[in-house]
Amino acid sequence: RPFDLGDRISIGDAGDKPGEEDPGYRDTWIVEDCNLFTTTLRLTRTNELSSVNNGSLANCKIVNHGRSLNACVNLVLPMRIEVTHEQVQIVKSAIEQYVRDNPRVWSCLINFRILKVDPNIELIAYGIRVQHVKSWQDMLPILQARGDLQKFCTEIMMKLGIHFNNPAIVNDVFIKQFPLQISPEVFAQPDQELND
């Protein structure tokens, strides 16, 4: 059997790939009941109850979060491109220390690597993967711990002055023709009101 009562599962087509977010499959279901013909599932984000024909599950990919031990959590750390190797090492060391200081939450830092370099916007993004002590069956504590770790990493990067702030997007708008009610002279004189 791919699942037991009470397991958190995700269901997808055999060719489905995990998404970018953790866990890889957004919709998770709790197995409420299972008999010879149907399985009753509860959608965790809305608490909706659904009955599924067991035959329809036969060709689906079922991810059992309860049997997938030690969830891996992925974070992206956006940094300014001017960051030095020493500053990156400080961030990495701080994360390693954070993991050691929280052994009931985190097992280890699995990897720390460059994900993206974009010189046009002066961005270098590092990705980290950290292993949690629990499985995705216990999703809420993992998501809370991920948020706490993201906050910690952001605070470290801000203290070092290397946190990447997404620049405001500037859109140049060119008006080909002004509407008849508004003349271009109105914009040339900022003190004049539109109602004059």
Side-chain angles (χ1 to χ4, degrees), residues 115-169:
L115 292 178
K116 178 181 180 179
V117 177
D118 189 340
N120 293 326
I121 59 171
E122 300 180 355
L123 165 73
I124 184 165
Y126 282 82
I128 65 170
R129 179 171 293 148
V130 187
Q131 191 169 43
H132 200 277
V133 296
K134 295 184 177 185
S135 72
W136 280 113
Q137 177 76 17
D138 300 317
M139 187 181 294
L140 291 178
I142 296 171
L143 294 177
Q144 178 64 47
R146 180 180 68 180
D148 293 342
L149 179 58
Q150 182 77 54
K151 181 178 180 234
F152 172 79
C153 293
T154 302
E155 288 172 351
I156 294 294
M157 292 185 301
M158 290 178 80
K159 285 179 185 177
L160 292 170
I162 59 173
H163 185 259
F164 176 76
N165 290 320
N166 194 5
I169 298 173

Side-chain angles (χ1 to χ4, degrees), residues 1-9 31-32 64 67:
R1 290 176 68 171
F3 48 78
D4 296 313
L5 295 182
D7 281 353
R8 180 186 298 269
I9 64 171
V31 179
E32 297 277 326
N64 189 325
R67 295 180 187 170

Side-chain angles (χ1 to χ4, degrees), residues 2-3 14 22 32 34-35 40 61 63 86 90-91 93 114 119 124 127 142 146 148 153 168 176-177 182:
F3 48 78
D22 291 329
E32 297 277 326
C34 187
N35 61 40
T40 304
K61 176 173 31 178
V63 177
E86 291 78 20
I90 291 170
V91 173
S93 296
I114 295 174
I124 184 165
I142 296 171
R146 180 180 68 180
D148 293 342
C153 293
K176 197 174 187 179
Q177 181 178 357
I182 301 174

Side-chain angles (χ1 to χ4, degrees), residues 7-166:
D7 281 353
R8 180 186 298 269
I9 64 171
S10 294
I11 303 169
D13 293 331
D16 284 354
K17 294 183 180 178
E20 297 294 321
E21 298 275 324
D22 291 329
Y25 297 90
R26 183 173 182 261
D27 288 332
T28 61
W29 303 81
I30 301 294
V31 179
E32 297 277 326
D33 187 32
C34 187
N35 61 40
L36 190 59
F37 301 106
T38 61
T39 298
T40 304
L41 305 169
R42 183 174 302 279
L43 184 61
T44 56
R45 67 183 166 89
T46 62
N47 215 27
E48 294 172 273
L49 205 57
S50 177
S51 292
V52 181
N53 182 335
N54 289 341
S56 66
L57 293 174
N59 294 325
C60 293
K61 176 173 31 178
I62 298 173
V63 177
N64 189 325
H65 300 286
R67 295 180 187 170
S68 306
L69 302 179
N70 300 92
C72 290
V73 175
N74 300 289
L75 296 176
V76 177
L77 306 178
M79 299 183 198
R80 294 179 26 220
I81 204 160
E82 303 88 24
V83 66
T84 66
H85 178 71
E86 291 78 20
Q87 290 170 319
V88 171
Q89 290 305 309
I90 291 170
V91 173
K92 183 179 178 186
S93 296
I95 294 168
E96 290 170 336
Q97 187 62 48
Y98 183 88
V99 169
R100 283 192 299 273
D101 290 345
N102 294 282
R104 293 182 180 192
V105 179
W106 300 109
S107 297
C108 63
L109 174 64
I110 296 172
N111 69 26
F112 185 98
R113 65 186 183 92
I114 295 174
L115 292 178
K116 178 181 180 179
V117 177
D118 189 340
N120 293 326
I121 59 171
E122 300 180 355
L123 165 73
I124 184 165
Y126 282 82
I128 65 170
R129 179 171 293 148
V130 187
Q131 191 169 43
H132 200 277
V133 296
K134 295 184 177 185
S135 72
W136 280 113
Q137 177 76 17
D138 300 317
M139 187 181 294
L140 291 178
I142 296 171
L143 294 177
Q144 178 64 47
R146 180 180 68 180
D148 293 342
L149 179 58
Q150 182 77 54
K151 181 178 180 234
F152 172 79
C153 293
T154 302
E155 288 172 351
I156 294 294
M157 292 185 301
M158 290 178 80
K159 285 179 185 177
L160 292 170
I162 59 173
H163 185 259
F164 176 76
N165 290 320
N166 194 5

